[in-house]
C-alpha cells in the first residue's frame, strides 16, 4: 500500500541498458530540480550484462519512509522478462510503457493507460542504442506529469558525460516528440469516436 | 589537486557515494580496499576522489591486506578507511583485532549483504551485527554506527571518524545493500559546519612518552610515525610503554583500558532518536534500513489507532542498555524488526529483563521488511501483553 | 627462547638504537637473527637517514621480534601482514624509510600473497627475510622454505614438498633489488641492507640463518658453530646470476650474492603520473563511440 501522495515508478530491463541510470535521472529531476522528495533503489542479479535488472523510484511531496516500490502506478518495461515478471504489480488505472521492439504484450488490463515506443530503434538511429533509456525518459515526460519536463532535461544533462550531452539531448527530444504526437493522434481518435 | 574535499551542495546520490563524501569531508586521505558487492561504489568513488584531494587510494590484493594497510596509514598520521561486505568483513576481523589492541583510529564500512558465505551478493541483510560486536577474537568493546539513509551515510561517516579519533579504535559503519545503493537527497554542508575531531598528540618530550598511558579521558595520546617518539606498537599484550609483557596482570590492565574507554563514555557515544514515543504503548526498536520499514509501520499503526512509537538506533554498539531498561518499564511491548533471525533482539531482551514483552520481526535477508509485518507484530504483542 | 638469561653488563655498540630496557632478548644461543639485526642497525646508522624517518614493521615469529628491540618507530603486527601494514605506513608518510623484517614462514607462507603484490606494485619498502628454513618460535614446523627431505615436527619423515626460491620469486614479481647472504656474510649483508634502504622501490634481502634449536635439532645440525660453518662452506657467491639459478641445495651449494639491481618506477612515481594525467595512451578500438557512462552523482 503506497503512502498518500507517493508516486511509485518501476523501470525494468536487463543489465547494460542503463536502467539504474534512468531511475537515478528521474529521482534527481524530482529531488534537485522539482525540489520534492525521491528515492531510487535498484535490484539486479550477478550478471554484468544481460541479467534482469530493475530500478524503483518513489516521488513524493513528503519525506519517503519506505523506499520499496510495491504497487507501481507507472511501469516502464525494456525487456520481455521484466514485463512478464512485473506487469501484475501495476495498479488498476496505472500507466504502462514498453519498448515496441523488446516487449510483446498480450492482453492488457483495460483500466491501464498503455503506450509503446521503439526507444531502442530511435536511439540506434541517433547513433547509439545505449541512449534508449534517455529516449524513454523523453517519452515519459510527454505522456506523464511525474516531474517537470525542464527538470528532467536538466537531470539528463547533469547525469551524462559532457561529451555526450548534445546527443543525449537529441535522444530525449526524440522521445518527447514521439510522445506528444502519439497523444495528439489519440486525442484525435478519441474525438473522432465521440463524433461518430 | 583540482578537487574540493567538501562538495557543499545538494545531491541525489547513493549511500556508498555519500559515505565516501562524508569521509573526505572529515579529512580521510587514505583508502585501501578490495572490490566487493555491494560496497564497491565506495571504492570506485574513492579511486578518483582521493587523488583529487591529495590522498591515496590503493586497491589491495584482499581484505586482510586492506585492513592492515589502513592501520599502517593511520600510524602514518593519516585518517584512513576501508569498505567491504560480508566475506570481506570476515577477512578483516584479524586486523580489526590488531586495531583494537594497538588502539588505532580508522573506519570500516560494512555494506551488509545476505550470508553466510557468498549468500546473496546483491541483496540486503543485517546479518553481521553480532560479528561486528564479537568477530575479532578476544574481549573488547567496539563502536558500531547504523545509517538508515544516504544522508546518514554522509553524516554518520563523519561521526565514525570523529569517534575513532577521539577513542582510538576502529569504528564500524554497519550499513546494508539498500542504504548503500539507494539514491536519495544528500545535503553536504559548508566545510566550516563540519565537526572534525583529530587524535590527541603527546605533549611530553619523547623520553617521557608512554604510548599507552591513558589521559584523564581514558584515552592515551597518540604519536605518529615520524614524530620522533620512537614508539613500539605491538599486537601482543603490552604495558603502558607499549612493551610486550606476557602475564595476567598486564592483560587485565590492557583489556580494562580498551574496554573502559568505551564503557565509561557510552553515554556520549550512544545515539538514538525517539519518534512518536510520548504516549506509546509499544515501541518499535529499529536500526539501519529497517528503520524505514519501522517508520512506515508506526505511521500505519497510528492510523489504525494503535499507540506505537519508534526508537531509531543510530548506534548499536555499545548497546543502549539503560535506555532500553527504562523504556521497558514504560511500554507494554518492544518490537524489533531486523534482517536476520534474531541478533540485536537478544540484547533487547537482555536489557528489557522481562519488564515487558519483546517481539522479533525476523527476515532471513534478500529484501527489506514489509511494514505490515511490523504492524502485525505490534498488534499481537499488545494483545498478549 | 629462554627468558632466564642474564642482562649483559657491557654496553653494545648499537645501544643508541636498542631498547636496552627490553634486554635480554628472546633469541636462542646460536640463532642468526641477532647477527642480522646487528647488520640492520649498522646499515641504518651508515645510511645517514634521519632516525625519526626510519620505521620497522614486522609480523609474527622469532624475526618478528626484531621490531620490539629497535628504539625507533616500530610495529609488530599480525602474522603475515607486515607488508600490507607497511604499505599503509609508507604511503601515508612517503618521506619515511620503512623496513620490513620477517621470517620465511611469516613473509612467504601466510604473507605470500602480500609479498608478490607489493613487489608487483614496486612499493618503496626494504624487505629483509630471515630464512631459517622452518617455524622456529613454535618448535620447528614445516615452512615454504623447508628443504626437500628436511625434518620438521610436521614432516617427521622428511619434507616431501619443494621449497620456494624466494629470490627468484621476488625478481619474477618485479623487485628492483634482490640479494641473498648467510648471517656469516656480515660485511656483505650490511652493505646489501644499506643498498636496499637507498634503493627506490621494492628491495628484498634474504638471509640464511642457523636455527640450531628447532631446525638443527630435527636435522642432525644442533651444534650452532658446526651449522654456521656448514652454511659458510657451502655458500658460493654468484653475483648477478639469474636468481632462478641461485639454488639452495643442502647437499651441494647454497648460492648467495646480489642478483638484481635495476630501476623501475615505484608505486608512488606512477600514482603521481596518474594524477597528472600522464599515464600515456591506451589503444582505442572505439574512437567514435562515446565512453561507457559512469553513473554521475549529481
Amino acid at each position: 500500500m503506497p503512502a498518500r501522495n507517493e508516486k511509485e515508478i518501476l523501470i525494468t530491463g536487463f543489465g547494460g541498458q542503463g536502467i539504474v541510470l534512468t531511475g537515478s535521472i528521474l529521482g534527481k529531476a524530482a529531488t534537485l530540480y522539482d525540489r520534492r522528495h525521491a528515492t531510487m533503489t535498484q535490484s539486479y542479479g550477478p550478471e554484468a550484462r544481460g541479467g534482469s535488472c530493475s530500478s524503483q523510484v518513489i516521488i513524493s511531496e513528503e519525506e519517503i519512509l519506505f523506499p520499496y516500490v510495491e504497487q507501481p502506478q507507472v511501469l516502464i518495461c525494456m525487456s520481455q522478462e521484466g514485463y512478464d515478471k512485473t506487469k501484475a504489480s501495476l495498479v488498476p488505472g496505472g500507466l504502462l510503457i514498453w519498448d515496441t521492439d523488446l516487449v510483446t504484450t498480450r492482453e492488457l488490463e483495460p483500466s491501464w493507460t498503455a503506450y509503446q515506443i521503439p526507444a531502442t530503434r530511435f536511439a540506434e538511429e541517433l547513433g547509439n542504442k545505449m541512449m534508449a533509456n534517455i529516449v524513454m525518459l523523453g517519452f515519459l515526460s510527454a505522456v506523464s506529469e511525474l516531474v517537470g519536463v525542464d527538470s528532467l532535461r536538466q537531470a539528463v544533462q547533469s547525469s551524462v558525460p559532457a561529451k555526450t550531452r548534445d546527443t543525449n539531448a537529441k535522444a530525449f527530444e526524440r522521445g518527447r516528440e514521439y510522445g506528444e504526437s502519439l497523444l495528439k493522434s489519440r486525442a484525435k481518435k478519441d474525438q473522432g469516436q465521440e463524433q461518430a | 589537486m583540482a578537487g574540493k574535499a567538501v562538495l557543499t551542495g545538494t545531491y541525489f546520490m547513493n549511500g556508498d557515494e555519500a559515505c565516501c563524501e562524508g569521509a573526505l569531508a572529515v579529512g580521510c586521505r587514505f583508502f585501501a580496499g578490495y572490490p566487493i558487492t555491494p560496497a564497491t561504489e565506495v571504492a570506485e568513488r574513492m579511486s578518483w576522489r582521493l587523488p583529487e584531494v591529495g590522498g591515496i587510494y590503493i586497491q589491495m590484493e584482499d581484505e586482510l591486506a586492506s585492513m592492515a594497510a589502513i592501520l599502517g596509514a593511520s600510524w602514518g598520521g593519516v585518517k584512513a578507511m576501508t569498505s567491504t561486505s560480508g566475506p570481506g568483513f570476515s577477512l578483516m576481523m584479524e586486523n580489526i583485532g590488531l586495531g583494537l589492541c594497538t588502539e588505532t583510529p580508522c573506519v570500516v564500512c560494512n555494506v551488509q549483504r545476505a550470508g553466510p558465505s557468498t549468500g546473496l551478493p546483491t541483496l540486503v541483510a543485517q546479518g553481521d551485527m553480532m560479528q561486528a560486536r564479537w568477530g575479532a577474537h578476544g574481549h573488547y568493546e567496539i563502536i558500531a554506527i547504523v545509517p538508515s539513509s544516504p544522508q546518514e551515510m554522509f553524516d554518520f561517516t563523519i561521526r565514525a571518524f570523529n569517534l575513532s579519533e577521539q577513542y582510538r579504535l576502529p569504528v564500524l559503519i554497519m550499513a546494508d545493500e539498500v542504504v548503500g545503493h539507494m539514491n536519495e537527497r544528500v545535503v553536504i554542508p559548508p566545510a566550516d559546519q563540519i565537526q572534525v575531531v583529530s587524535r590527541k598528540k603527546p605533549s611530553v618530550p619523547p623520553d617521557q612518552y608512554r604510548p599507552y598511558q591513558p589521559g584523564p579521558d581514558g584515552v592515551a595520546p597518540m604519536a605518529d610515525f615520524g614524530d620522533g617518539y620512537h614508539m613500539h606498537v605491538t599486537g601482543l599484550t603490552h604495558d603502558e610503554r607499549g612493551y610486550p609483557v606476557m602475564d595476567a596482570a598486564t592483560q587485565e590492565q590492557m583489556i580494562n583500558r580498551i574496554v573502559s574507554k568505551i564503557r565509561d563514555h557510552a553515554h556520549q557515544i550512544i545515539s538514538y532518536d525517539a519518534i512518536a514515543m510520548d504516549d506509546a504503548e509499544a515501541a518499535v526498536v529499529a536500526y539501519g534500513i529497517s528503520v524505514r520499514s519501522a517508520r512506515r509501520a508506526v505511521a500505519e499503526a497510528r492510523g489504525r489507532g494503535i499507540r506505537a512509537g519508534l526508537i531509531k538506533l543510530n548506534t548499536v554498539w555499545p548497546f543502549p542498555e539503560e535506555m532500553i531498561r527504562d523504556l521497558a518499564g514504560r511500554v507494554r511491548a518492544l518490537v524489533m524488526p531486523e534482517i536476520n533471525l534474531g541478533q540485536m533482539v537478544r540484547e533487547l531482551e537482555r536489557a528489557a529483563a522481562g519488564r515487558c514483552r519483546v517481539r522479533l520481526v525476523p527476515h532471513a535477508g534478500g529484501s527489506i521488511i514489509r511494514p505490515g509485518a511490523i504492524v502485525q507484530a505490534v498488534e499481537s504483542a499488545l494483545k498478549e501483553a | 627462547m629462554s627468558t632466564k638469561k642474564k642482562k649483559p653488563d657491557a654496553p653494545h655498540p648499537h645501544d643508541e638504537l636498542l631498547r636496552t630496557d627490553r634486554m635480554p632478548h628472546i633469541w636462542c644461543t646460536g640463532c642468526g637473527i641477532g647477527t642480522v639485526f646487528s647488520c640492520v642497525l649498522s646499515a641504518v646508522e651508515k645510511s645517514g637517514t634521519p632516525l625519526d624517518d626510519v620505521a620497522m614493521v614486522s609480523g609474527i615469529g622469532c624475526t618478528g621480534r626484531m621490531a620490539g628491540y629497535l628504539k625507533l618507530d616500530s610495529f609488530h603486527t599480525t602474522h603475515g601482514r607486515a607488508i600490507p601494514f607497511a604499505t599503509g605506513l609508507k604511503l601515508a608518510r612517503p618521506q619515511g624509510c620503512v623496513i620490513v623484517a620477517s621470517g620465511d614462514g611469516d613473509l612467504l607462507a601466510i604473507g605470500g600473497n602480500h609479498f608478490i603484490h607489493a613487489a608487483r606494485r614496486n612499493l618503496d619498502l626494504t624487505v629483509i627475510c630471515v630464512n631459517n628454513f622452518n617455524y622456529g618460535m613454535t618448535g620447528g614446523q614445516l615452512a615454504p622454505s623447508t628443504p626437500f627431505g628436511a625434518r620438521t615436527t610436521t614432516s617427521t619423515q622428511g619434507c616431501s614438498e619443494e621449497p620456494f626460491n624466494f629470490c627468484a620469486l621476488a625478481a619474477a614479481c618485479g623487485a628492483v633489488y634482490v640479494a641473498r647472504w648467510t648471517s656469516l656474510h656480515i660485511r656483505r649483508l650490511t652493505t646489501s641492507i644499506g643498498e636496499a634502504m637507498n634503493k627506490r622501490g621494492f628491495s628484498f634481502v634474504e638471509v640464511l640463518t642457523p636455527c640450531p634449536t628447532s631446525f638443527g635439532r630435527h636435522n642432525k645440525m644442533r651444534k650452532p658453530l658446526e651449522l654456521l660453518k656448514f652454511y659458510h662452506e657451502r655458500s658460493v657467491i654468484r653475483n648477478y646470476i639469474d636468481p632462478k639459478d641461485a639454488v639452495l641445495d643442502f647437499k651441494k651449494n647454497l648460492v648467495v650474492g646480489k642478483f638484481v639491481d635495476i630501476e623501475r618506477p615505484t608505486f608512488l612515481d606512477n600514482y603521481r603520473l596518474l594524477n597528472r594525467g600522464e599515464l600515456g595512451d591506451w589503444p582505442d578500438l572505439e574512437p567514435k563511440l562515446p565512453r561507457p557512462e559512469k553513473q554521475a552523482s549529481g
Side-chain angles (χ1 to χ4, degrees):
Chain A
M1 180 182 71
R4 245 168 359 105
N5 297 328
E6 283 184 4
K7 280 280 181 197
E8 297 191 355
I9 303 111
L10 178 60
I11 308 164
T12 69
F14 43 81
Q17 284 179 315
I19 297 295
V20 173
L21 180 63
T22 313
S24 164
I25 291 173
L26 191 57
K28 191 180 192 178
T31 306
L32 299 188
Y33 304 112
D34 276 357
R35 301 191 176 279
R36 291 148 76 196
H37 293 271
T39 60
M40 192 279 288
T41 55
Q42 49 182 300
S43 100
Y44 62 105
E47 308 91 338
R49 290 289 179 270
S52 178
C53 128
S54 77
S55 143
Q56 316 177 13
V57 181
I58 302 177
I59 298 173
S60 173
E61 305 305 321
E62 293 151 23
E63 191 186 358
I64 297 156
L65 304 181
F66 184 68
Y68 264 25
V69 164
E70 302 203 288
Q71 289 174 293
Q73 290 106 318
V74 179
L75 176 61
I76 301 171
C77 299
M78 295 187 69
S79 76
Q80 189 65 45
E81 189 187 348
Y83 170 77
D84 292 340
K85 271 190 183 167
T86 57
K87 64 176 183 212
S89 65
L90 184 62
V91 298
L95 171 63
L96 173 69
I97 303 172
W98 69 93
D99 188 311
T100 314
D101 299 324
L102 300 178
V103 180
T104 308
T105 58
R106 285 178 203 91
E107 281 168 35
L108 298 174
E109 176 73 32
S111 72
W112 290 343
T113 308
Y115 298 110
Q116 52 178 304
I117 171 174
T120 305
R121 205 188 315 154
F122 287 166
E124 270 168 345
E125 287 165 14
L126 289 165
N128 187 355
K129 70 173 179 182
M130 287 293 297
M131 297 187 303
N133 57 342
I134 306 297
V135 175
M136 193 55 102
L137 280 171
F139 185 73
L140 181 70
S141 79
V143 302
S144 77
E145 289 173 350
L146 285 174
V147 289
V149 60
D150 282 327
S151 299
L152 204 47
R153 282 196 182 103
Q154 274 180 282
V156 169
Q157 289 298 298
S158 64
S159 302
V160 298
K163 274 196 262 177
T164 67
R165 276 183 195 147
D166 289 347
T167 47
N168 274 298
K170 277 183 199 145
F172 183 86
E173 298 310 328
R174 183 77 181 89
R176 181 165 171 82
E177 282 156 20
Y178 187 80
E180 282 173 337
S181 63
L182 199 70
L183 285 187
K184 266 183 209 158
S185 67
R186 279 216 184 175
K188 256 188 202 166
K189 204 167 128 195
D190 290 350
Q191 228 175 6
Q193 276 170 351
E194 272 167 37
Q195 282 170 352
Chain B
M1 286 187 220
K4 282 198 287 186
V6 185
L7 294 182
T8 305
T10 305
Y11 299 85
F12 188 67
M13 64 167 55
N14 74 32
D16 283 357
E17 294 168 323
C19 170
C20 168
E21 289 306 326
L24 296 172
V26 75
C28 172
R29 292 294 178 271
F30 185 90
F31 181 97
Y34 188 83
I36 183 166
T37 304
T40 299
E41 288 86 345
V42 184
E44 285 178 339
R45 193 175 177 95
M46 281 293 192
S47 76
W48 59 273
R49 283 285 284 137
L50 267 171
E52 277 190 350
V53 300
I56 297 269
Y57 167 87
I58 183 167
Q59 187 167 311
M60 298 302 286
E61 50 275 15
D62 58 29
E63 289 88 349
L64 300 160
S66 305
M67 190 62 216
I70 68 167
L71 296 180
S74 184
W75 280 101
V78 173
K79 291 182 186 177
M81 80 170 290
T82 186
S83 65
T84 189
S85 190
F89 196 51
S90 295
L91 289 184
M92 285 179 184
M93 281 303 152
E94 174 195 46
N95 287 307
I96 288 175
L98 180 64
L100 290 160
C101 185
T102 57
E103 303 187 48
T104 308
C106 60
V107 171
V108 179
C109 178
N110 177 1
V111 186
Q112 294 172 89
R113 63 192 227 185
S117 191
T118 313
L120 297 170
T122 63
L123 296 174
V124 65
Q126 298 179 303
D128 308 345
M129 305 311 294
M130 282 295 164
Q131 187 183 21
R133 178 64 188 87
W134 298 111
H137 54 276
H139 200 100
Y140 54 87
E141 288 284 334
I142 193 90
I143 298 176
I145 295 189
V146 270
S148 66
S149 67
Q151 181 69 54
E152 286 184 349
M153 280 290 258
F154 178 86
D155 297 337
F156 288 9
T157 300
I158 290 174
R159 183 152 197 258
F161 270 95
N162 287 342
L163 289 169
S164 81
E165 292 282 323
Q166 186 174 355
Y167 297 108
R168 281 190 64 178
L169 80 167
V171 171
L172 311 178
I173 301 171
M174 297 301 288
D176 62 76
E177 186 274 330
V178 174
V179 166
H181 279 163
M182 173 166 60
N183 282 55
E184 206 167 23
R185 174 185 283 119
V186 172
V187 179
I188 299 182
D192 59 12
Q193 287 174 26
I194 291 170
Q195 195 204 359
V196 178
V197 177
S198 294
R199 61 193 72 170
K200 251 184 325 177
K201 295 273 215 159
S203 54
V204 296
D207 58 332
Q208 287 166 34
Y209 178 51
R210 293 167 77 85
Y212 291 97
Q213 183 176 43
D217 58 353
V219 184
M222 179 174 168
D224 300 327
F225 164 38
D227 284 350
Y229 283 85
H230 299 180
M231 69 277 184
H232 181 56
V233 176
T234 177
L236 285 169
T237 293
H238 45 268
D239 61 16
E240 289 185 347
R241 296 172 301 172
Y243 287 3
V245 181
M246 303 294 98
D247 62 34
T250 313
Q251 169 75 1
E252 188 180 0
Q253 193 186 32
M254 185 183 87
I255 298 303
N256 277 336
R257 186 177 64 249
I258 66 175
V259 165
S260 306
K261 69 180 178 182
I262 304 304
R263 285 190 183 166
D264 293 350
H265 297 95
H267 286 289
Q268 286 104 296
I269 296 165
I270 288 168
S271 162
Y272 62 90
D273 294 309
I275 297 161
M277 281 301 300
D278 285 348
D279 63 342
E281 285 185 299
V284 180
V285 182
Y287 61 90
I289 190 61
S290 298
V291 164
R292 307 292 290 256
S293 312
R295 287 189 66 181
R296 170 76 81 76
V298 167
E300 284 182 25
R302 287 271 167 182
R304 287 157 59 178
I306 303 166
R307 280 168 29 208
L310 171 66
I311 298 290
K312 167 181 178 290
L313 301 181
N314 301 324
T315 52
V316 285
W317 304 118
F319 191 75
E321 299 186 27
E322 283 179 35
M323 180 271 285
I324 295 293
R325 193 179 313 134
D326 177 56
L327 183 67
R330 290 189 286 120
V331 297
R332 288 166 55 210
L334 297 174
V335 174
M336 177 172 272
E338 52 180 344
I339 311 177
N340 57 56
L341 300 192
Q343 292 192 12
M344 295 309 300
V345 76
R346 291 162 175 260
E347 290 294 297
L348 197 66
E349 278 167 349
R350 192 174 60 79
R355 299 171 79 182
C356 74
R357 181 164 293 273
V358 176
R359 183 61 66 89
L360 167 70
V361 183
H363 193 299
S367 163
I368 59 179
I369 294 173
R370 293 292 183 275
I374 303 172
V375 178
Q376 250 179 13
V378 169
E379 268 188 315
S380 72
L382 283 178
K383 256 182 222 155
E384 289 168 31
Chain C
M1 282 175 293
S2 158
T3 52
K4 287 176 187 165
K5 293 172 209 164
K6 263 178 72 182
K7 203 167 184 159
D9 299 325
H12 187 276
H14 292 305
D15 269 359
E16 283 294 298
L17 287 174
L18 288 173
R19 296 188 192 276
T20 49
D21 51 351
R22 291 209 60 217
M23 294 297 146
H25 57 67
I26 66 157
W27 298 313
C28 310
T29 310
C31 169
I33 297 174
T35 318
V36 180
F37 188 42
S38 194
C39 294
V40 172
L41 300 178
S42 299
V44 166
E45 277 173 347
K46 282 184 195 159
S47 74
T49 314
L51 293 180
D52 289 355
D53 277 338
V54 179
M56 180 179 277
V57 182
S58 69
I60 298 298
C62 292
T63 307
R65 294 303 184 97
M66 263 197 210
Y69 300 123
L70 179 68
K71 203 162 80 183
L72 295 175
D73 289 334
S74 54
F75 303 89
H76 178 225
T77 67
T78 38
H79 197 22
R81 319 297 168 215
I83 284 183
F85 186 100
T87 298
L89 192 68
K90 172 70 187 180
L91 294 179
R93 193 177 161 80
Q95 66 270 45
C97 171
V98 179
I99 301 168
V100 172
S102 234
D104 41 307
D106 188 49
L107 193 69
L108 281 137
I110 190 168
N113 198 31
H114 311 311
F115 179 87
I116 63 177
H117 285 280
R120 170 180 65 81
R121 296 184 183 108
N122 201 20
L123 276 161
D124 190 8
L125 302 174
T126 298
V127 179
I128 298 163
C129 176
V130 177
N131 181 2
N132 59 13
F133 305 103
N134 78 142
Y135 291 89
M137 180 173 266
T138 48
Q141 292 81 31
L142 182 82
S145 51
T146 305
F148 185 82
R151 288 163 198 262
T152 70
T153 64
T154 50
S155 61
T156 51
Q157 305 303 309
C159 170
S160 60
E161 298 177 13
E162 295 284 348
F164 262 142
N165 175 342
F166 295 160
C167 288
L169 180 66
C173 295
V176 291
Y177 185 96
V178 178
R180 176 194 288 149
W181 302 106
T182 75
S183 58
L184 255 187
H185 294 94
I186 290 174
R187 192 174 45 82
R188 289 186 164 99
L189 174 60
T190 306
T191 304
S192 257
I193 294 171
E195 286 176 356
M197 284 176 65
N198 287 327
K199 190 79 188 175
R200 295 180 72 256
F202 189 89
S203 333
F204 178 65
V205 181
E206 178 184 3
V207 195
L208 311 182
T209 61
C211 173
T213 305
S214 294
F215 186 75
R217 183 159 49 96
H218 302 300
N219 289 290
K220 300 175 193 160
M221 295 176 163
R222 66 178 78 207
K223 286 184 184 158
L225 201 60
E226 296 298 312
L227 189 50
L228 262 180
K229 265 193 202 158
F230 174 81
Y231 283 154
H232 197 246
E233 280 161 12
R234 290 286 161 111
S235 67
V236 284
I237 299 175
R238 296 273 187 274
N239 287 325
Y240 293 111
I241 66 160
D242 186 333
K244 283 204 294 290
D245 301 325
V247 178
L248 295 178
D249 185 342
F250 275 62
K251 289 169 193 157
K252 290 179 190 157
N253 292 331
L254 305 173
V255 179
V256 297
K258 178 163 94 174
F259 306 129
V260 176
D261 190 353
I262 57 169
E263 302 296 326
R264 192 161 78 87
T266 66
F267 174 87
L268 277 178
D269 289 341
N270 287 334
Y271 195 79
R272 284 170 192 138
L273 279 187
L274 168 87
N275 289 351
R276 293 199 300 267
E278 293 170 6
L279 277 189
D281 290 336
W282 178 253
D284 186 354
L285 303 184
E286 306 173 347
K288 281 178 193 157
L289 293 178
R291 294 286 158 117
E293 293 177 13
K294 180 165 65 180
Q295 190 189 325
S297 54

